[in-house]
Amino acid sequence: EAGVAQSPRYKIIEKRQSVAFWCNPISGHATLYWYQQILGQGPKLLIQFQNNGVVDDSQLPKDRFSAERLKGVDSTLKIQPAKLEDSAVYLCASSFHLGADYEQYFGPGTRLTVT
Amino acid sequence: RKEVEQDPGPFNVPEGATVAFNCTYSNSASQSFFWYRQDCRKEPKLLMSVYSSGNEDGRFTAQLNRASQYISLLIRDSKLSDSATYLCVVNSGGYQKVTFGIGTKLQVIP
């Protein structure tokens, strides 16, 4: 079974530039998550989709971050404009269904450095 | 108070030792609990779910104490390969809000 795919794996940009990350979840997984993991911290949930609808985006900085999941499969996360504090690993995860007991499968992440 | 709290460590233990981590949570309505493992510069992977009755998987035992609002992870006979960061995960809320702890770093030394 193919895992969660993410691209790019690494990205270096200057502050105030824009960047976009892509995620392809495991086939058949209805729920998709984007997390931000800053060095030395646990993953912080940014947004959670069920199919193509947003379930929770309470921690997404909406003035600069946006995410979409058209057609309920692939998803993109965009940052515009980037700040130095956005330097982090952005992890995408998927699970079979929305619910407490469904394991989350993580992609390898995109490591973003903002200079 | 943070929603999910963990001691970041590091816990340095010799091979063969038994080590235990705790994780406290603030929302008494939290419904499900997990331990994930994260190796350095890798993505998190599910280690085990934590059930009310406790559960065991080989050398790993997870327990839940709802009265005191904490979960624990016990690792017996530590191996060098157990060196990693152990993340506590709590799901709560009607739409299953997911909160990760900061993680506890374990280093097993020869």
Side-chain angles (χ1 to χ4, degrees):
Chain A
E1 178 182 81
V4 176
Q6 289 188 248
S7 67
R9 292 294 308 277
Y10 305 91
K11 190 74 176 178
I12 301 174
I13 61 172
E14 295 182 353
K15 58 184 179 183
R16 291 187 290 273
Q17 286 187 323
S18 301
V19 64
F21 312 128
W22 174 82
C23 173
N24 182 239
I26 292 173
S27 178
H29 280 196
T31 308
L32 185 147
Y33 309 80
W34 281 104
Y35 291 89
Q36 179 193 60
Q37 187 171 24
I38 292 172
L39 186 64
Q41 298 183 21
K44 171 188 168 185
L45 180 67
L46 294 175
I47 188 166
Q48 181 178 349
F49 292 94
Q50 175 69 4
N51 296 312
N52 61 348
V54 175
V55 175
D56 180 13
D57 64 356
S58 57
Q59 298 190 93
L60 187 73
K62 298 180 185 64
D63 57 335
R64 298 186 301 108
F65 286 64
S66 64
E68 60 182 10
R69 192 185 183 197
L70 299 176
K71 301 180 181 178
V73 181
D74 293 8
S75 178
T76 56
L77 175 69
K78 296 179 182 177
I79 307 176
Q80 180 180 7
K83 293 185 175 181
L84 295 176
E85 58 261 36
D86 298 333
S87 294
V89 176
Y90 290 84
L91 294 162
C92 178
S94 70
S95 64
F96 179 70
H97 194 62
L98 179 69
D101 294 329
Y102 289 96
E103 177 180 355
Q104 294 187 42
Y105 295 83
F106 284 82
T110 296
R111 188 172 299 273
L112 174 67
T113 302
V114 182
T115 63
Chain B
R1 183 181 174 187
K2 289 183 179 178
E3 290 185 60
V4 178
E5 292 199 67
Q6 293 184 257
D7 182 342
F11 284 59
N12 296 312
V13 302
E15 267 187 293
T18 295
V19 62
F21 313 132
N22 281 344
C23 166
T24 59
Y25 60 94
S26 60
N27 186 347
S28 59
S30 297
Q31 298 174 5
S32 59
F33 311 87
F34 305 88
W35 285 103
Y36 276 71
R37 170 188 169 135
Q38 187 171 28
D39 292 297
C40 188
R41 301 180 75 88
K42 297 287 188 181
E43 69 272 21
K45 292 185 179 179
L46 180 67
L47 178 66
M48 58 198 311
S49 303
V50 188
Y51 304 122
S52 296
S53 56
N55 54 310
E56 185 174 318
D57 183 3
R59 299 182 292 108
F60 297 83
T61 300
Q63 296 203 317
L64 167 64
N65 185 317
R66 284 195 182 272
S68 300
Q69 293 183 206
Y70 74 87
I71 65 173
S72 63
L73 178 67
L74 180 78
I75 306 175
R76 290 181 297 276
D77 188 23
S78 298
K79 311 290 185 190
L80 295 176
S81 57
D82 294 335
S83 298
T85 296
Y86 291 84
L87 296 160
C88 167
V89 181
V90 176
N91 282 8
S92 58
Y95 45 76
Q96 306 305 326
K97 180 181 177 182
V98 180
T99 305
F100 278 74
I102 192 172
T104 297
K105 186 172 183 179
L106 171 66
Q107 186 70 41
V108 180
I109 52 182

